[in-house]
């Protein structure tokens, strides 16, 4: 079983209600749900949210809301690990045993379904890895920096300036987890810089809109 888990809390300080902010007439989270559906990779698409408004919107576009996320893990201090652990407890309680989970961020309008498909196929072939993380050469606000070896394994580093051109940044788009893998190795999957942007504030939001339109024009 493959499950797509989309985290989407209501609060956001720098860009209010960013997960459902209208992006060319549609809430941002709709793009994530649509891409997950178009990929045809998932048995379930689940949105983890603390908001009834987000839950209603997510259901409208085809996602499942089997639970509401507790407020205590829905503030600015909450981590992806908190959200995942809450989801894992839900799975265990309800006898749900996924092999692969795609943790897909709600603010990913530039992402393409084919990227989800290619990354999954790539990940399946690399059986020695527990996790696949999306990386990019585009510098982001994310505090995670990586170097990648010949086998594709990535490792976090602190002083990225010491590595010059070898450095990768966390793309902040999605990652895969293989629950049947027994090791902790992380596989890096590089995304095209035109397919990802870390939306944190209004400036990022407007930049994403320009990149989105630019991408549509290239298809014509």
């Amino acid at each position: 079983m493959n499950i797509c888990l989309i985290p989407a809390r209501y609060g956001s300080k720098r860009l209010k209600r960013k997960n459902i902010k209208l992006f060319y007439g549609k809430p941002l989270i709709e793009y994530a749900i649509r891409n997950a559906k178009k990929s045809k990779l998932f048995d379930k698409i689940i949105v983890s949210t603390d908001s009834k408004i987000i839950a209603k919107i997510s259901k409208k576009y085809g996602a499942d809301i089997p639970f509401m996320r507790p407020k205590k893990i829905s503030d600015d201090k909450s981590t992806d690990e908190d959200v995942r652990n809450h989801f894992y407890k839900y799975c265990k309680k309800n006898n749900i045993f996924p092999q692969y989970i795609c943790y897909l961020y709600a603010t990913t309008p530039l992402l393409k379904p084919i990227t989800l498909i290619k990354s999954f196929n790539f990940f399946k072939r690399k059986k020695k890895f527990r996790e696949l993380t999306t990386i990019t050469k585009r510098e982001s606000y994310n505090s995670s920096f990586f170097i990648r070896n010949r086998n594709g394994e990535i490792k976090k580093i602190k002083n990225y300036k010491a590595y010059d051109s070898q450095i990768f940044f966390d793309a902040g788009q999605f990652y895969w987890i293989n629950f049947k893998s027994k090791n902790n190795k992380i596989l890096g999957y590089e995304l095209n810089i035109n397919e990802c942007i870390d939306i944190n504030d209004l400036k990022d939001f407007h930049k994403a809109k320009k990149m989105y339109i630019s991408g549509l024009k290239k298809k014509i």
Side-chain angles (χ1 to χ4, degrees):
M1 174 183 284
N2 295 345
I3 293 179
C4 179
L5 178 64
I6 303 174
R9 66 186 181 91
Y10 188 72
S12 178
K13 286 185 177 180
R14 286 182 284 177
L15 187 60
K16 290 186 177 181
R17 304 176 185 176
K18 72 174 183 178
N19 291 318
I20 53 173
K21 188 172 178 63
L22 292 183
F23 189 90
Y24 290 111
K26 297 178 181 179
L28 273 173
I29 196 170
E30 190 273 341
Y31 291 84
I33 295 171
R34 181 185 62 187
N35 284 334
K37 290 175 68 176
K38 282 188 174 182
S39 74
K40 297 182 179 180
L41 292 172
F42 305 106
D43 299 287
K44 289 181 178 292
I45 300 170
I46 294 175
V47 171
S48 171
T49 185
D50 60 323
S51 164
K52 291 182 179 180
I53 295 174
I54 293 178
K56 184 178 180 180
I57 291 172
S58 299
K59 285 181 180 178
K60 176 183 176 180
Y61 291 109
D64 294 322
I65 316 290
F67 54 79
M68 295 298 291
R69 196 200 308 176
K71 294 292 182 181
K72 64 181 181 180
I73 57 169
S74 300
D75 58 21
D76 289 335
K77 295 181 180 179
S78 301
T79 65
D80 288 341
E81 186 175 3
D82 293 330
V83 177
R84 291 199 314 267
N85 287 338
H86 177 256
F87 173 68
Y88 298 159
K89 288 178 182 177
Y90 160 79
C91 287
K92 186 175 182 180
K93 183 178 180 180
N94 291 275
N95 294 317
I96 299 172
F97 305 104
Q99 178 174 356
Y100 293 100
I101 287 181
C102 179
Y103 194 88
L104 175 63
Y105 292 98
T107 53
T108 52
L110 305 180
L111 201 63
K112 299 178 179 65
I114 190 63
T115 302
L116 290 173
I117 296 169
K118 286 182 177 179
S119 66
F120 178 62
N121 290 335
F122 179 66
F123 188 36
K124 283 198 301 181
R125 294 196 300 268
K126 302 285 186 174
K127 300 183 183 300
K128 294 182 179 180
F129 293 88
R130 177 173 173 78
E131 184 177 321
L132 176 146
T133 293
T134 51
I135 56 177
T136 179
K137 284 292 187 178
R138 182 192 296 280
E139 187 169 357
S140 70
Y141 297 114
N142 198 295
S143 59
S144 296
F145 317 111
F146 305 96
I147 55 172
R148 181 172 62 177
N149 65 23
R150 293 180 179 178
N151 295 323
E153 182 180 3
I154 58 174
K155 292 184 178 180
K156 285 186 179 182
I157 57 173
K158 293 182 179 180
N159 182 16
Y160 73 89
K161 292 182 179 180
Y163 291 88
D164 195 23
S165 62
Q166 300 176 50
I167 193 71
F168 289 92
F169 297 87
D170 188 338
Q173 302 299 290
F174 65 90
Y175 56 82
W176 287 94
I177 298 172
N178 178 4
F179 279 90
K180 290 192 176 181
S181 177
K182 297 181 180 179
N183 61 59
N184 294 314
K185 290 184 177 182
I186 302 175
L187 183 65
Y189 188 81
E190 186 176 358
L191 297 184
N192 187 299
I193 60 172
N194 296 318
E195 198 175 352
C196 56
I197 184 171
D198 192 8
I199 301 176
N200 291 293
D201 54 30
L202 196 57
K203 183 179 178 180
D204 297 332
F205 182 76
H206 289 310
K207 185 176 181 180
K209 292 185 76 172
K210 290 180 180 178
M211 291 173 67
Y212 183 81
I213 287 297
S214 178
L216 289 179
K217 288 180 179 178
K218 288 179 180 178
K219 291 180 180 180
I220 296 174

